Structure formats: structure tokens, C-alpha cells
Amino acid sequence: MSPNSKPCTLCTTPRDILVRCQTDSTGKWHFVCPGACWRSVSGGEEDARGFEKEFPHYRYGGMWKNRHADGPTSAKKPRKVAERQKERRAGRGEEGKEESGEC
Ligand SMILES: [Zn+2]
């Protein structure tokens, strides 16, 4: 496993790709596996659409990717999602630390 991977806050498994999201009223950002763990907090919808009752505090905050890991693992997603994510990131500016090295 890559030294820069981050543990899932739910199952603590180190991952190279995680979904950043809020899952409760504390507003704390969690990093969860894009698979089962994420589905368990979002219902499998990026914005938990249709699951507002089950996951009222869920909020999607983008994908976290370990830039130091290369290999077959890559988070492919529709361009629409990527663009939205970029906008949000631009308005936040707190994730730049981990995404550095792009310029
Ligand atoms: Zn997990």
C-alpha cells in the first residue's frame, strides 16, 4: 500500500481514493471508501438525492486521491461531476495542500 494513502474513517482501511463527505450534524468531513462505506452513508448517490430522510446530514465534498499512487486504480467519473467538483474546490481552497504539484 502506498505510504500516502489515507484511512477510511469508517473501516480504517488505507485507501488511495476516498470520498470526502459530511455524514452527521457535527459537520466533520470524513473520508470513506468509495465502495461499501460510502454507500452506507450516502445511499450510493453522490448528493444522497432521494435519501434525504435516511441521510439528512450527508454532504458530498469531492474525491480525495492519493497523487503519489500510480497504478491501475483511478477514479473515473462523469465530466459533469468533475466540473462541479472543481467549482466547489475553487470556492473552498482548503484542499489545495493535498492537490499541490499541479502547476
Ligand atoms: Zn471504508
Side-chain angles (χ1 to χ4, degrees):
M1 191 47 80
S2 165
N4 290 289
S5 50
K6 201 196 276 284
C8 167
T9 50
L10 295 181
C11 70
T12 70
T13 305
R15 300 275 181 184
D16 290 331
I17 295 174
L18 292 162
V19 180
R20 184 172 180 267
C21 58
Q22 294 176 340
T23 60
D24 53 38
S25 56
T26 66
K28 184 175 167 15
W29 288 100
H30 294 274
F31 293 90
V32 302
C33 305
C37 289
W38 176 65
R39 274 198 300 276
S40 76
V41 297
S42 71
E45 291 292 330
E46 186 179 296
D47 294 316
R49 193 167 305 148
F51 293 94
E52 289 87 353
K53 278 183 187 149
E54 284 106 306
F55 311 107
H57 301 294
Y58 174 82
R59 196 172 149 221
Y60 178 73
M63 302 290 293
W64 177 85
K65 262 183 270 182
N66 178 5
R67 295 217 162 225
H68 300 273
D70 26 34
T73 328
S74 70
K76 288 249 167 72
K77 69 189 136 178
R79 188 200 273 171
K80 204 174 73 181
V81 175
E83 279 171 4
R84 241 163 55 200
Q85 187 178 315
K86 212 189 284 173
E87 283 168 26
R88 288 185 196 181
R89 193 167 288 164
R92 231 176 18 233
E94 62 185 58
E95 206 153 343
K97 279 171 255 156
E98 308 200 88
E99 303 278 334
S100 63
E102 200 149 43
C103 45

